[in-house]
Amino acid sequence: MAAEATQRGDHAQGHRVRDDGVRREHLPFHRLSEAGVLALARGDGGGDVVAELLNAERSRRLLLLRALDDELSRGAPPARRAEPVGERPVRYAEAWTLLTRAQHRSPEAFEDVLMSPNTGMWVSLAVRRARGRAYEEAPRWVVVGHLAALAAAAAARAGLDFSITVPVRGGLVPLPTLGCAVLPDGKAWSTARVTGHGGRLRISGSGGEVEVAPPWDVRVPGWHPRRLLTLGSGEGAKTLVLEDLDPYRTFPRPSEPRPLPEPEAELWRSLLAGAWDTVLRDDPESAEAMRRGLMSLTPTESRERFRPHSSTAGDAFGALTASRPDDVAQLAATLVHEFQHTKLGGLMHLEALTVPPPQPSSPEHLLYAPWRDDPRPLGGLLQGIYAFLGVTRFWRAHRQAATPADAPTAHFEFALWRTQVWSTLNAVRGHEQLTPLGRRVVESLHARCAEWMADEVPAAELRLAQEAAEDHLARWRAHHLRPPAAAVDEAVRAWRHGAARPPASLAAEPMLVPDTEARFLDGAAVLARHHLGDPDGTWRHTAAHDDGDAGGVDGAGPADVLLARGDSAGARAAYVDRLARKGAPVSAWAGLGRALADDPAHRAASWLLLRHPERARALQDALEAATGRRADPVDLAAWLASGGTAES
């Protein structure tokens, strides 16, 4: 297989593949067609483009397998240095030989195992582990020995007769693409013997044995089969693995198999069926791409309402993890969001969009991301732009098909993400770290988003979206930006001496000082969704509990809830009271700015707190340190904004 692993794969005109340091100069490069580049640069790309990306991904994995073999061939086999005491060792060479046999007997079976997203994740981590970097607690022989489990699965699918030793994780024996056996073994790490005859498997380990026959999808004692779902029907049908067994289904680190209870699996089947039908109707090109390239979804623990969590990894092409969604539309948007990451990750494996900054660890190279609490490097920001452009595209179409009850939320989501993507694209255009391809992608996405900026959105939902975007940016600035220290000291002296205006030096460009404690900066958007979905709901009384698990909204205080309920006067009083006391939350400055927005007498203070809340925060903290007292926050903001009179 080693020779074939480096020589197969088609190539066409366009962009060339990189292979993470294991390139063979005599090999042809993968090239993406010009039509594929054009489609991906616009945030689009159907099944044909995904097929090109998958073809390149296949070669990348074969090269990584070759790299792993090269690393392990330089010294003694790892299993001989760290064998499980008293058990058969996992022999890497034995696994490699069996995998080669399976490839020759049944290339289709080999391809199924090779192109599983989890295989991509494993081989990438295994190469890093072989080079001395650990990403999981499992011993090195368990990580490398996972190749034996892959080989056993491929051999079983190919109908080979074989016997091989595989790693066991806490009594669980995952066989990728087939299922997971359960043995009565309490050890954290041990081994089992997998024997195959005509596809029938016997898994034997400490104190137990499990037998399973093809097609391996029937649950028998000691065996959890892989869950393969069929979504939709006819030409719109899509197969998807509901993944709960493979240890390399999660990222950036593996996790042990967790078989889903059947009721939970049934709920996911229903949600995914509805989400797939929604994507088919509202974003058919994405559905076409996902039909070819989306392979598995791993459920993760539920999250607070309106704060779902999902992720992908460039090494696991075709996989995503997702927390249980609030509804079908949210899950449909998640599928689109994460597959956008998958497409861009595939493109970035072929050619870079950015070059490293001169000083990679310097905060000055981090940027504002409207969908994150923390500052992000340019590469990560491009991933977010690309994903949320897809989300914007989805909500743009979905709002036309939504029910009257759901339409307000759909309009809000479209308006919010359109605003956030547009502002971020404008911020990164022409960035010095963009490569020629990166500039092309940014310009194409900018042109695409520009097409949507004139789309009409109902006034109420548009206003809420604009306020949520404004609030997030203000909270981010309050947490992560700092005015020059000398300017703050000068402002303290000016304030205490009753100067008419703050010093001009305070308007200098602030420094980025990442605040690792920043959390839940999207509170205004979450509260807006509660309001749109259920204006008179219980959230009006429970959201301020500040605990998502108890029905509240994490990070939201009583003043935030009053503001979301439309009580600006009550919110203002609550913010002022909180900010006048020690230990006030940083984000309260942004909330006060919004609460003052409709008051003509305080528009200047509102403007200052929404555009430059970091100045108010820094000056208030400095005044407290110098005098032991905190100034009235509205007076302080007004002084900073327009040079109003201040008391010493």
Side-chain angles (χ1 to χ4, degrees):
M1 185 183 72
E4 190 171 76
T6 60
Q7 293 177 359
R8 292 185 55 188
D10 299 330
H11 57 283
Q13 296 300 313
H15 297 270
R16 65 182 186 179
V17 72
R18 301 184 308 168
D19 58 28
D20 294 339
V22 294
R23 183 163 58 200
R24 305 296 191 269
E25 295 299 335
H26 65 281
L27 298 178
F29 292 113
H30 275 278
R31 299 181 183 274
L32 190 62
S33 67
E34 181 60 26
V37 175
L38 178 62
L40 290 172
R42 281 178 53 82
D44 296 330
D48 291 344
V49 176
V50 171
E52 292 186 63
L53 295 176
L54 281 168
N55 196 31
E57 178 63 21
R58 176 186 183 279
S59 287
R60 181 175 181 272
R61 292 189 187 179
L62 292 172
L63 287 167
L64 284 169
L65 281 171
R66 177 60 180 267
L68 179 62
D69 187 51
D70 288 348
E71 289 291 334
L72 298 176
S73 297
R74 290 172 183 161
R80 295 183 182 277
R81 294 196 300 269
E83 298 175 0
V85 177
E87 301 182 27
R88 291 177 179 268
V90 179
R91 300 187 186 278
Y92 177 79
E94 182 182 30
W96 185 265
T97 299
L98 180 58
L99 192 60
T100 303
R101 286 178 58 203
Q103 183 187 25
H104 286 299
R105 168 67 72 85
S106 176
E108 296 80 9
F110 172 80
E111 293 295 324
D112 285 345
V113 173
L114 175 69
M115 295 310 294
S116 165
N118 309 318
T119 300
M121 195 70 202
W122 165 76
V123 69
S124 177
L125 294 178
V127 170
R128 295 170 193 167
R129 186 63 177 267
R131 292 172 177 172
R133 288 178 288 170
Y135 289 83
E136 58 177 310
E137 294 180 358
R140 189 172 187 263
W141 67 264
V142 171
V143 176
V144 173
H146 186 73
L147 183 73
L150 292 170
R157 297 173 71 103
L160 290 174
D161 292 345
F162 68 94
S163 185
I164 192 169
T165 299
V166 301
V168 180
R169 296 168 171 261
L172 301 174
V173 188
L175 297 178
T177 76
L178 300 182
C180 181
V182 182
L183 298 175
D185 185 344
K187 298 178 182 177
W189 321 107
S190 59
T191 63
R193 195 73 176 170
V194 179
T195 303
H197 180 70
R200 189 175 188 86
L201 297 174
R202 185 172 70 251
I203 302 106
S204 307
S206 299
E209 185 174 281
V210 174
E211 292 194 12
V212 60
W216 311 290
D217 59 357
V218 177
R219 184 164 183 171
V220 297
W223 177 253
H224 293 282
R226 177 182 67 161
R227 284 189 171 92
L228 189 62
L229 311 183
T230 299
L231 309 176
S233 60
E235 294 183 356
K238 161 71 186 168
T239 57
L240 184 74
V241 176
L242 188 61
E243 182 62 80
D244 57 345
L245 302 174
D246 194 296
Y248 294 95
R249 71 193 183 281
T250 55
F251 10 89
R253 290 175 174 79
S255 57
E256 300 313 314
R258 188 186 75 87
L260 287 174
E262 195 55 37
E264 186 177 352
E266 284 298 324
L267 175 60
W268 273 101
R269 285 190 183 97
S270 175
L271 288 166
L272 282 165
W276 179 247
D277 288 342
T278 301
V279 176
L280 273 174
R281 181 193 66 205
D282 297 339
D283 195 353
E285 186 173 13
S286 286
E288 180 194 353
M290 284 190 271
R291 187 182 291 112
R292 184 66 180 266
L294 180 61
M295 304 175 201
S296 68
L297 182 146
T298 295
T300 59
E301 293 185 5
S302 298
R303 299 282 291 261
E304 179 187 336
R305 192 177 182 206
F306 300 126
R307 279 182 171 140
H309 180 267
S310 59
S311 64
T312 55
D315 293 322
F317 192 107
L320 68 94
T321 69
S323 60
R324 185 190 300 172
D326 300 326
D327 54 41
V328 161
Q330 186 186 85
L331 180 55
T334 295
L335 296 180
V336 172
H337 174 117
E338 294 302 341
F339 202 70
Q340 289 286 109
H341 281 308
T342 296
K343 291 188 299 184
L344 189 64
L347 177 61
M348 292 170 69
H349 279 165
L350 291 167
E351 188 166 329
L353 303 185
T354 64
V355 296
Q359 298 175 321
S361 61
S362 174
E364 68 187 55
H365 298 295
L366 301 177
L367 303 164
Y368 170 60
W371 33 81
R372 298 274 301 208
D373 293 335
D374 55 335
R376 298 291 289 158
L378 180 61
L381 189 58
L382 291 180
Q383 279 282 3
I385 290 171
Y386 203 81
F388 280 100
L389 182 124
V391 170
T392 305
R393 183 183 63 222
F394 168 78
W395 287 112
R396 181 175 186 253
H398 182 70
R399 65 198 187 116
Q400 308 302 329
T403 65
D406 294 335
T409 298
H411 286 302
F412 168 80
E413 298 292 353
F414 167 66
L416 175 63
W417 298 120
R418 175 184 66 175
T419 297
Q420 303 292 44
V421 170
W422 179 249
S423 64
T424 311
L425 280 167
N426 284 315
V428 302
R429 290 182 80 189
H431 197 287
E432 62 181 6
Q433 288 177 238
L434 290 171
T435 65
L437 179 60
R439 287 193 294 272
R440 182 176 181 182
V441 169
V442 168
E443 290 302 319
S444 295
L445 296 179
H446 187 271
R448 185 72 183 282
C449 193
E451 299 170 6
W452 303 336
M453 294 308 294
D455 287 2
E456 292 187 1
V457 176
E461 288 85 345
L462 181 61
R463 177 183 58 80
L464 283 174
Q466 291 171 337
E467 289 178 353
E470 194 173 50
D471 185 273
H472 188 280
L473 176 57
R475 290 171 188 253
W476 187 93
R477 291 184 67 97
H479 275 280
H480 298 296
L481 298 184
R482 299 287 185 276
V488 174
D489 292 341
E490 187 179 358
V492 168
R493 291 192 295 272
W495 171 271
R496 296 184 68 186
H497 287 89
R501 350 181 137 261
S505 60
L506 200 61
E509 188 70 21
M511 297 177 294
L512 177 64
V513 183
D515 179 0
T516 59
E517 300 301 314
R519 296 286 188 278
F520 310 118
L521 304 188
D522 63 340
V526 172
L527 289 167
R529 294 179 181 111
H530 278 288
H531 171 77
L532 289 167
D534 190 8
D536 300 316
T538 58
W539 67 271
R540 295 167 63 91
H541 310 290
T542 62
H545 290 173
D546 200 20
D547 182 0
D549 294 335
V553 174
D554 278 327
D560 300 310
V561 178
L562 287 170
L563 194 57
R565 291 168 58 176
D567 184 358
S568 296
R572 171 187 166 178
Y575 283 126
V576 167
D577 177 68
R578 193 70 186 88
L579 286 165
R581 291 186 282 119
K582 189 173 182 178
V586 173
S587 292
W589 290 107
L592 178 59
R594 287 179 57 209
L596 296 172
D598 294 331
D599 185 345
H602 294 102
R603 289 216 176 124
S606 173
W607 178 90
L608 183 285
L609 292 177
L610 291 174
R611 301 312 189 271
H612 302 288
E614 69 278 4
R615 297 179 192 172
R617 177 199 177 183
L619 185 52
Q620 182 77 297
D621 290 348
L623 284 169
E624 183 177 28
T627 68
R629 293 176 297 172
R630 294 175 69 84
D632 179 276
V634 177
D635 289 346
L636 187 66
W639 182 73
L640 288 169
S642 59
T645 303
E647 297 178 359
S648 61

